[in-house]
Amino acid sequence: MTETPPAPAADRGRLSSLTRLWPFARPYRGLVALTFVGALLATLTQLVIPLVTEAVVDGPIADGDRAGLVPLLALALGFGIAEAALFFLRRWAMNISSLQIERDLRDTLYQRLQRLPIAFHEGWSSGQLLSRATSDVSTIRRFVGFGGVFLVVNLVTCVVVGALLLLTCWPLGVAVLVTTVPLTFFGVRWEGRYNAQSRQVQDQYGDLATDVEEAVQGIRVVKSLGRSGLVFSRYDRKAVRLRRLELEKVRTLALIWCLFEFHPQITLAVLLVGGALAVSSGALTVGGLVGFIALFTVLLWPILSLGFLLAQAQETASACDRIGELLDAPLTVTDRPGVRPQPVGTPARLRFEHVRFGFPGAGGPVLTDVDLDVDLDVAPGETVALVGATGSGKTTMTALVARLLDVTGGRVTLDGHDIRDLPLVQLRTVVATAFEEATLFSMSVRENVTLGRPDAGDDQVAEALRVAQADFVHDLPWGLDTRIGEQGLSLSGGQRQRLALARAVLGRPSVLVLDDPLSALDVHTEALVEQALRDVLAQTTALVVAHRASTVLLADRVALLEGGRITAVGRHTDLLAEVPAYRALLSSDSELAGTAERDR
Amino acid sequence: MTSSGTAAPVTTASGAPDPVVGPVDVHADWRGVAGEDAEEVSASGSSFLRGRSRRLLGELLRPHRRALWALLCVILVQNAAWLAGPLLVGIGIDHAVPALLAEPADPWPLVWTTAAMVAAAALDTGLRYVFLVGSGRVGQAVLLALRRRVFRHVQQLPLAFHERYTSGKTISRLTSDVEALAELVDEGLDGLLTALSSVLAIGVVLLVLDLPLGLVALLGFPLLLVLGRWFQRRSTVAYRRTRQTIAALIVQFTETFGGIRAVQAFRREPRNDELHAALNEENRRAQHEAFWLIAVVVPAVTMIGNLVTVAVLGYGALRVMDGDLAVGVLVSFLLYLRRFFDPLQDIAMFYNSYQSAGAALEKLSGVLEERSGVPDPVDPQPLPHPVSGEVVFDDVRFGYGGAPVLPRLDLVVPAGQTVALVGATGAGKSTLARLTARFYDPVEGQVRLDGVPLDRIADADLRRAVVMVTQEGFLFSGSIADNIAFGRPTATRAEVEEAARAIGADAFVQALPEGYDTDVAQRGGRLSAGQRQLVGFARAFLADPAVLVLDEATSSLDVPSEVLVQRALQTLLADRTAIIIAHRLSTVEIADRVLVMEAGRVVEDGSPAELVAGTGRFADLHRAWADSLV
Ligand SMILES: Nc1ncnc2c1ncn2[C@@H]1O[C@H](COP(=O)(O)OP(=O)(O)OP(=O)(O)O)[C@@H](O)[C@H]1O
Ligand SMILES: Nc1ncnc2c1ncn2[C@@H]1O[C@H](COP(=O)(O)OP(=O)(O)OP(=O)(O)O)[C@@H](O)[C@H]1O
Ligand SMILES: [Mg+2]
């Protein structure tokens, strides 16, 4: 027997995705149950007022008994109030549970996303993530808070009334059952189509959000090249496609709606004919027919509403799928089971042992066989500068140290421990990184600098700021409490870079990784930073990516990264003398080449 | 509400920085102090906001007036057809079945009724389809128009707006707020029209059936109106809050995942969890407040309906006993009454969606009414053709709202000159560059290109003439070729590759798996920092402007790549004006002239050779740099 291929997604009744919601609904199952009870009881109380009317007509009115009116009216009033109260109860319970489920779901999603590896985030557009955390989560809340309850209530009504119909008069009941066959057939088809279309629409929302995000965050480039027309037409194409997809969805929904609206009416006609024939053949009394039809009319609204409630359920199912894709994404960079903190000294010995790394789906590996020993024996707290051409893999190599990326072969060790045998929290505490692009968040200067060490004291902060020559913060309107970042004060490029540097050196980490940390500084400030940084570097192990000779001089040794391996390690002057590739990259001659060219 | 273009809010309302504001507990105020929050609810109050958003809604709906009327007619007829079904069954039972039982049996009444039922069902269904598709079309057209409008408007607003408003909030306007409106479009129209038509029809029937009873029934109305007023007032406030809380969530979200490397490397996750949970909870509360209101209103409508029913029952029963009223009238009156109050609930639900969408519309209309502080001129002055590229700063003063960054600047860059700007960080170099590209307008004085003030040049002309390349080199998702062609969308593939070759980016691009068609992933995540800068540079090279402004555009390149870029520049810049900001003095040396800036002033000005030979700051810098090369 060969295995049957899996059915295409659209054909499977994917309402099963809704089961994903259960863990989130579980804590609120009491409230959810209350919702159902409220809905059911309210339906029952609705029957009382007509009954009272009947009693009034048959009792006090027939007898002319004015006093007898009072208790009946009081009864009607009481049930009227009870109905409203039950209504309120249902809505109240629904609000509380659905909003809490929404909140929990969004929190869970956010927490999970934060812990997914960088590789995941590079592969996903942020607009897709955003649309899942907002629109899809809201879709689910709407269903939980409204559609879900009525879907169940109406289904139950249909089944109960259906059974009653069968009991009342089985031939007519069977006729009703038969009419549900085409209903189910087309219903399943169209609901499946609706599910697929909802998915497309939701994906398109994500794409649109991505475009919005890029257009807004890249506004400087757009403006400086005057390309708002181009960016608009890109966005417009997607918005127009969204409209087309939405309209397709609307058409399917309209079909479904019509199907479920047409069905009970036609069934009614069938019942009239069948019933009339039954009556004329004597199988049924007129009263029986009236009763049967009256019972069936109870079903008109529940059947009709099933159409769009099921559609809503489909939409929710595909929202669940979309969110599930994120929740199911593997946490590839995590603690191995049973890891325990290991002793790591300050400074620590950092080694790359036959490290290989390749980005998934990107040609050959970036690092083929990196061997590098940042060794304490050479000098306590050694600093190694990493030099290599643009795109040679320096940033990639630095990202391996804090396990922002995981090696695909070989290992990185700290004081002899494979870094994957350290708990992530410990690893990222002993390793501090300054990235080539200074990322500041919308918070106070202090919070930005103490990002990795919230417990740092004022003197430590002051020390870090001094090392990074970031004293300008004291001149900001509120000093260290000034909010910076997007929602606060904008800083110049050099100011941002120095704050990112201060953040990394704060608290003297065991291992310091600096990716081209001085690129945005002027020569003078650079010299000052270097001077101050020497002190820090003397006491920690450091890996410093450098493009400029001046930065290289911070290091005790230099490693040349070339073709995915370290091809030379040594002192700057030695390498200049001995390694042509190094000379080409870093000698003053080449840096002066531009000048020479011009002077010719 | 308007942004002044040049003045971003940096100071307190009192204007002066207030050192006393420092919070006692750092963690209680982790966000830190900023100037006035750029929240847009203005003093002019809520009726102003409502008026503004209603105006926007009106503008959006106006083109669809006819379609909306047609849809109203469709839904009325459709409702009649829907109501006909049960009625026809009654007729069938009362007339067709007896006719069938009679001697001789007459099947025709049954045939006719059944046929009528099928016809009514078909009419009802057909019209329902027309209505659903029609209203979907109108709704989607409105949304598309709104999206286009807001997107285009936001694109055209100046940088000062974006800096003040922040990308997260703009994103939430363009996504979540538009979607709130989509919800109204999806759910609202159908229910509203159906409900309104049945309420009106049944109201008339009630009055016709029996005037005194009808009047008693209408007693409920004042109560409903009071309820409506209350709901309107409270829900406007409540929904307005939900728009803010959801925007705050989106801001947190985009910031976190924009800086995910730093978040993870510095173990910020647990703290972010807390912050997000707090914002999320606040959002839940705001929504709860709004939903609670509707949870009160709908049962209240039911309650009023039930009270009225009891009143009608009591009063009607007394009148029947007095012989003023037939029992049958009372019974059908009560039946109709129920049908009168049920749709009122639908109307309440619609009103609820409307309020929610209204709050979103307020925010959107706020963005739309934001006027550009750096507007396109109404009667632009043409630039000479070809643009020669003389840039003049005439007594320019500029600040971002706080202390002046450029206190007073006079500068003439003759056409074709390459000027290098050097100076300490924060001296105002980038600021000068941004003024040249008219990202901001000066507070005082003028910047002129070929004698034409920048604010008199049409935006399209200006952008063709002046291009600025920054350090970040933002890339858009798409292929490398697309990104380079961003500099000149009409460029052919050969021209794109030529530009890349000219600046030395060709080698690395060729090495990528799909060459120029390689997708750079979002924000160029697949490329290294230097590679991104190269692509950004190729883009500017292709744009080929008369004035090129480079703001540390080569800071992440290795030396050989930089040399290649410089060679390309020397060819390109032969007859172009260029303003180059760089920290590596090797870059500076290709300049004809060097300006040393300090605290917003030009303190030295001369050819590189002159300055090096002199004793000024540049000579110092140059010596320090030459020493650093070892
Ligand atoms: N997410 C990714 N997916 C695929 N390839 C990538 C990804 N990130 C980087 N690369 C490729 O890996 C190589 C190394 O990139 P890396 O950022 O480490 O270079 P680098 O040495 O730091 O360069 P630079 O000096 O420009 O910063 C580059 O060729 C780049 O194109
Ligand atoms: N958008 C902004 N809003 C408010 N203040 C700003 C803004 N951009 C820069 N500043 C401030 O203006 C001053 C000058 O900044 P600018 O970016 O022009 O400096 P720069 O000379 O280019 O420095 P760097 O060499 O570090 O890039 C700085 O103090 C900076 O904090
Ligand atoms: Mg790099």
Side-chain angles (χ1 to χ4, degrees), chain A residues 395 434-440 496-497 500 503 515-516 519, chain B residues 258 261-262 471-474 523-524 527-530 532-533 556:
Chain A
T395 301
F435 299 100
E436 51 194 354
E437 265 160 66
T439 315
L440 297 182
R496 281 203 302 273
Q497 196 171 46
R503 176 194 285 166
D515 193 352
D516 207 4
S519 63
Chain B
R261 270 172 188 262
Q471 185 182 9
E472 302 103 59
F474 190 97
R523 286 191 235 156
L527 302 184
S528 82
R532 279 199 294 277
Q533 284 196 342
S556 297

Side-chain angles (χ1 to χ4, degrees), chain B residues 329-528:
Chain B
V329 174
L330 178 60
V331 171
S332 47
F333 198 95
L334 287 170
L335 285 180
Y336 276 121
L337 210 51
R338 184 93 209 172
R339 288 202 176 176
F340 182 67
F341 280 101
D342 282 348
L344 276 181
Q345 292 181 10
D346 290 341
I347 294 180
M349 291 305 296
F350 172 82
Y351 197 56
N352 183 44
S353 310
Y354 175 77
Q355 288 289 81
S356 157
L361 267 181
E362 273 177 22
K363 298 279 175 198
L364 288 168
S365 63
V367 171
L368 284 174
E369 302 225 331
E370 191 78 44
R371 285 291 140 246
S372 176
V374 187
D376 219 11
V378 226
D379 55 337
Q381 211 166 312
L383 282 172
H385 193 80
V387 182
S388 59
E390 183 205 44
V391 178
V392 174
F393 280 70
D394 184 3
D395 200 17
V396 168
R397 262 171 29 86
F398 181 76
Y400 292 98
V405 174
L406 302 180
R408 177 131 285 154
L409 187 73
D410 280 295
L411 179 65
V412 180
V413 181
Q417 194 174 55
T418 300
V419 176
L421 271 182
V422 300
T425 72
K429 305 181 293 294
S430 305
T431 305
L432 191 150
R434 289 179 204 142
L435 287 175
T436 313
R438 202 183 173 217
F439 279 7
Y440 305 89
D441 275 341
V443 178
E444 256 175 52
Q446 268 185 345
V447 183
R448 288 194 292 267
L449 173 63
D450 282 1
V452 186
L454 293 190
D455 58 6
R456 302 273 287 120
I457 305 176
D459 193 60
D461 290 345
L462 179 65
R463 299 303 162 203
R464 213 170 300 125
V466 182
V467 164
M468 170 156 153
V469 186
T470 59
Q471 185 182 9
E472 302 103 59
F474 190 97
L475 299 192
F476 296 86
S477 50
S479 70
I480 292 193
D482 288 347
N483 268 292
I484 296 177
F486 202 78
R488 176 147 52 93
T490 53
T492 62
R493 173 52 84 81
E495 286 169 320
V496 165
E497 293 185 16
E498 178 52 41
R501 209 165 307 127
I503 56 130
D506 190 57
F508 96 80
V509 178
Q510 296 291 3
L512 290 170
E514 287 157 78
Y516 284 90
D517 293 316
T518 310
D519 191 342
V520 298
Q522 71 170 334
R523 286 191 235 156
R526 274 196 96 163
L527 302 184
S528 82

Side-chain angles (χ1 to χ4, degrees), chain A residues 291-306:
Chain A
F292 193 90
I293 285 183
L295 197 54
F296 182 77
T297 50
V298 173
L299 281 185
L300 284 181
W301 173 248
I303 293 183
L304 200 165
S305 66
L306 276 187

